[in-house]
């Protein structure tokens, strides 16, 4: 229910006392009831004491409240072991906390319309997979129930859900696609086999409507590109854009069933262009430097930090009528007194250790990039590269940013002393993907000139050209790709540095990517004439491409065209790459009335909404989570996979197949190792609910759950799963031409 209007002016504490900038909105609410504008949103930040016997989990909870609110501390309680094993586990001598821990609220930002509050929470990993419950007094939400989340045992790695493109492009018939329907499937799976973290690969929200039915519409309607570039971005337009971006976040993050997932599965996000506006960073440099692009870059960055990272934004963003905000200082945008009027922003807060912060601001966003490094449980490390803040049409990241990223990652891997077996690298877009340079050549050829002239004069082929710089609309998407011509060298250097990292620290690198609105699995691998089994091949890296979880997929013709372009490419003299033939059949093929999504010849790209699951293939808990021979992985105790700490894979194996017994195929699109055999719907990892044991003791199971979309009016988000397994790396066993390769 809504609280009565009980706001009144109040004297504010001094800025020094509050450790912030600005005086705030001079409002205080006298009712204890907290009307939630948005939230709670749960984030995972990092682990500490990772290699000790007492590792700690660190995260945060964000709520957005009316101004003047004063939320009470959050209470966090351990519910003990998940599911039916709880009482048995307790009787075996494990301690189950009965009294909750308390965490105070920290105000991040407040203006006359809203206030952002964060709770920093931490907890100890247990001997068992544990459920945790958090509650905030007087919080008025849709359910008014305490929220729960799940943490793996200290001996296990996290069970991961990966998604991207969680929104709709301009012009999509959202009702026919039933909104974020696949989140219903996410919650069904989570109930049966809980996710410990969900990784957002970019485009967690689509803000593109700001140019269609938002404050940028008058600017977009300007026909002359020169006048559009010269258009000012004053404080009035900034305020209108600020309100648009805020309301769009509130609408989307409060939309069910996505909202339910936000409160019970910890998020870990990196942004991409639609979190700002379509194609941001990939238009021509002189156009990207125009005032409007720089202005919305700042506004989008503000709410990206607040909603997706739970940290305070810069106190001001770019406007043309405040000269101090237009000059890059090397740190952040300078304070504009107009913007901080009636506003309060937390300042001088220590940065969370999970961030790898760039040394200088991006060329179009007046802030420094924020990449992420953290550990996801015992054996999996995560590296998310911010590939948008520094992006231009000719670069993805500054060279010095790559140096920072690899320095930090190397230090962490060395510190783990071999405990980390997998490094998950998150990129906004795929990196092992078919080349489309021939399409770029067509769009940039003189043949397009007459069409462009007719478009400018008469609006001919209007849908082919974007509204920003008048170029072919698909060009910004193509320029975004690592496989684009201008990113070729940067791409090769990135992969080679990853190969060296994998070899040096004996860690398997797996890449996550989204953006393209279809599912696929690409792989880099040593050339066949080197005779290195994948289990020993530090060049073997799978690129799990999962996109989109909400946006509509491309037409089947596009997916089929990409499949025909799936050549065997040569990265360098030792490395090849190609997509895996993962899709053995269309999703829901056996159901009546389900239409095929691809041609019968296309087994590599799937144009249907989807998300991915990544989990360890084998249990490591032993007697720590196996109680009387039963391991309960779900909140409701659904799955019982562990017997005396072992996991039964296919044919009763636990350690996968001996790599020496696997015969490499002549066609690298086919399985390159035992974990890729039977890839697709018949693979043991296809459903993503159980450990398969197929990838060895330290291997990973990967599932891509693809929407069937049998009934367009259904909001259930029914899916069919496709699976593979990825072995851990033993680079010490690599043999090249009969010689051991070290």
């Amino acid at each position: 229910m809504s609280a009565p209007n009980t706001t009144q002016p109040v004297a504010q504490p001094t800025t020094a006392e509050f450790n912030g900038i600005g005086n705030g909105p001079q409002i205080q609410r006298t009712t204890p009831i907290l009307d939630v504008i948005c939230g709670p949103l749960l984030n995972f930040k990092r682990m500490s004491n990772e290699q000790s016997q007492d590792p700690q989990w660190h995260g945060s909870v964000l709520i957005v409240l009316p101004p003047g609110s004063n939320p009470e501390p959050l209470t966090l309680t351990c519910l003990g072991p998940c599911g039916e094993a709880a009482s048995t586990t307790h009787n075996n001598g494990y301690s189950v906390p009965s009294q909750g821990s308390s965490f105070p609220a920290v105000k991040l930002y407040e203006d006359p319309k809203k206030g952002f509050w964060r709770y920093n929470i931490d907890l100890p990993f247990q001997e068992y997979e544990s459920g945790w419950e958090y509650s905030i007094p007087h919080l008025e939400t849709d359910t008014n129930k305490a929220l729960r989340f799940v943490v793996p045992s200290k001996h296990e790695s996290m069970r991961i859900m990966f998604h991207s493109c969680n929104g709709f492009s301009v012009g999509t018939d959202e009702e026919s696609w039933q909104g974020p329907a696949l989140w219903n499937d996410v919650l069904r799976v989570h109930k049966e086999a809980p996710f410990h973290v969900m990784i957002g690969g970019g485009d967690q929200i689509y803000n593109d409507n700001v140019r269609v039915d938002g404050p940028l519409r008058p600017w977009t309607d300007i026909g002359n590109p020169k006048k559009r570039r010269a258009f000012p971005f004053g404080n009035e337009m900034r305020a209108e854009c600020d309100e648009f971006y805020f309301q769009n976040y509130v609408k989307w993050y409060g939309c069910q069933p996505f909202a339910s997932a936000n409160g019970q599965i910890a998020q870990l996000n990196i942004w991409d262009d639609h979190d700002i506006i379509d194609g941001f960073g990939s238009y021509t440099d002189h156009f990207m430097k125009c005032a409007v692009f720089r202005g919305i870059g700042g506004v989008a960055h503000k709410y990206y930090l607040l909603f997706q990272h739970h940290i305070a934004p810069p106190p001001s963003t770019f406007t043309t009528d405040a000269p101090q905000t237009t000059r890059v200082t090397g740190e952040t945008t300078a304070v504009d007194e107009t913007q901080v009027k009636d506003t309060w922003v937390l300042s001088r807060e220590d940065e969370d250790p999970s961030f790898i912060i760039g040394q200088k601001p991006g060329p179009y966003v007046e802030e420094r990039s924020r990449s992420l490094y953290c550990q996801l449980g015992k054996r999996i490390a995560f590296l998310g590269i911010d590939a948008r803040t520094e992006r231009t049409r000719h670069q993805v990241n500054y060279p010095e940013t790559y140096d920072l990223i690899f320095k930090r990652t190397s230090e962490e891997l060395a510190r783990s002393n071999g405990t980390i077996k997998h490094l998950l690298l998150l990129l906004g877009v795929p990196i092992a993907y078919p080349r489309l340079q021939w399409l770029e050549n067509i769009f940039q050829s003189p043949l397009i000139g007459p069409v462009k002239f007719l478009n400018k004069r008469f609006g001919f082929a209007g849908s082919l050209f974007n509204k920003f710089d008048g170029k072919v609309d698909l060009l910004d998407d193509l320029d975004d790709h690592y496989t684009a011509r201008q990113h070729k060298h940067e791409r090769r250097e990135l992969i080679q540095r990853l190969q060296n990292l994998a070899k040096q620290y004996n860690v398997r690198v797996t890449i996550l990517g989204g953006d393209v609105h279809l599912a696929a699995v690409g792989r880099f691998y040593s050339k066949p004439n080197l005779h290195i089994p994948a289990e020993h091949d530090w060049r073997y890296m799978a690129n799990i491409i999962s996109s989109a979880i909400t946006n509509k997929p491309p037409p089947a013709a596009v997916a089929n065209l990409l499949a025909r372009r799936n050549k065997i490419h040569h990265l360098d003299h030792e490395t090849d790459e190609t997509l895996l033939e993962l899709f053995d059949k269309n999703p829901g093929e056996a159901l009546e009335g389900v239409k095929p999504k691809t041609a019968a010849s296309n087994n590599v790209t799937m144009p249907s909404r989807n998300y991915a699951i990544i989990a360890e293939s084998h249990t490591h808990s032993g007697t720590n989570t196996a109680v009387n021979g039963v391991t309960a992985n779900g909140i409701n105790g659904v799955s019982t996979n562990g017997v005396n700490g072992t996991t039964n894979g296919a044919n009763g194996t636990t350690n996968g197949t001996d790599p020496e017994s696997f015969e490499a195929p002549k066609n690298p699109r086919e399985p390159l190792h035992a974990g890729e055999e039977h890839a697709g719907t018949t693979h043991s990892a296809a459903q993503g609910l159980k450990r398969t044991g197929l990838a060895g003791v330290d291997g990973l199971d990967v599932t891509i759950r693809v929407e069937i979309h049998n009934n367009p009016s259904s909001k259930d988000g029914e899916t069919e799963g496709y699976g593979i397994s990825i072995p851990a790396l033993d680079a010490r066993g690599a043999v090249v031409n009969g010689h051991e390769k070290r």
Side-chain angles (χ1 to χ4, degrees), residues 380-398:
I380 299 177
F382 170 79
L383 173 62
I385 295 182
D386 178 352
R388 189 55 54 181
T389 304
E390 298 172 359
R391 179 182 288 268
T392 71
R393 198 168 192 174
H394 299 284
Q395 75 171 25
V396 180
N397 287 101
Y398 299 134

Side-chain angles (χ1 to χ4, degrees), residues 428-688:
V429 297
I431 197 165
Y433 200 65
R435 307 293 194 270
L436 293 174
Q437 289 184 0
W438 60 276
L439 194 55
E440 293 180 71
N441 293 336
I442 292 175
F443 288 158
Q444 292 177 327
S445 75
L447 297 174
I448 290 291
V451 182
K452 185 184 295 186
F453 173 80
L454 291 173
N455 168 262
K456 185 176 179 180
R457 276 296 188 89
F458 308 109
F460 177 76
S463 61
L464 182 62
F465 299 93
N466 70 61
K467 302 295 184 181
F468 294 144
D469 60 0
K471 295 187 178 295
V472 177
D473 194 40
L474 279 175
L475 266 179
D476 68 284
D477 291 320
L478 296 176
D479 288 341
D480 255 5
H481 282 217
Y482 281 98
T483 52
R485 179 190 299 106
Q486 56 267 33
H487 299 317
K488 181 178 179 180
H489 296 295
E490 185 175 353
R491 173 182 185 268
R492 183 177 65 246
E493 290 177 3
L494 173 58
I495 294 300
Q496 289 172 340
R497 293 184 77 166
L498 289 169
Q499 290 174 342
N500 293 334
L501 198 74
K503 182 181 178 183
Q504 180 178 358
Y505 295 103
N506 205 39
V507 62
R508 174 71 70 198
V509 177
T510 297
I511 304 168
L512 308 178
D515 182 72
V516 291
H517 301 174
L518 50 77
V521 174
R523 300 104 87 234
F524 297 97
Y525 53 92
S526 290
K527 288 188 174 181
N529 65 334
L530 296 176
H531 303 293
I532 305 177
E535 289 81 359
H536 303 312
D537 186 6
W538 63 90
R539 298 187 186 96
Y540 175 83
M541 303 178 199
N543 185 184
I544 310 303
I545 302 166
S546 181
S547 169
I549 192 171
T550 297
N551 207 350
K552 70 175 183 179
V558 173
N560 295 335
L561 174 63
L562 286 166
R564 288 195 293 271
R565 299 297 302 174
N566 183 34
K567 311 296 184 183
I568 298 172
H569 296 284
H570 309 298
L571 179 81
D572 54 32
H573 294 301
E574 291 82 28
T575 310
D576 284 352
E577 57 181 286
T578 193
L579 297 180
L580 170 67
E581 293 181 349
L582 173 66
F583 302 104
D584 53 324
K585 67 175 186 177
N586 275 276
E589 191 174 272
L591 299 177
E592 183 178 353
V594 175
K595 297 179 180 179
K597 296 180 182 292
T598 63
S601 59
N602 179 6
N603 303 116
V604 296
T605 58
M606 178 55 66
S608 185
R609 299 194 291 186
N610 64 90
Y611 67 95
I613 301 170
I614 301 107
E616 286 187 313
S617 181
H618 194 280
T619 185
H620 291 76
S621 297
T623 56
N624 291 314
T625 58
V627 181
N628 294 335
V630 177
T631 300
N633 291 337
I635 293 178
N636 298 314
V638 175
S639 58
T640 55
N641 300 334
V643 180
N644 295 329
T646 64
T647 300
N648 291 325
N651 301 322
T653 62
T654 58
N655 295 322
T657 303
D658 181 359
E660 303 302 327
S661 67
F662 181 83
E663 186 174 349
K666 293 182 179 179
N667 179 5
R669 300 174 186 85
E670 297 175 359
L672 292 175
H673 57 83
E676 290 184 353
E677 282 194 299
H678 310 295
T681 57
T682 63
H683 194 279
S684 297
Q687 296 308 308

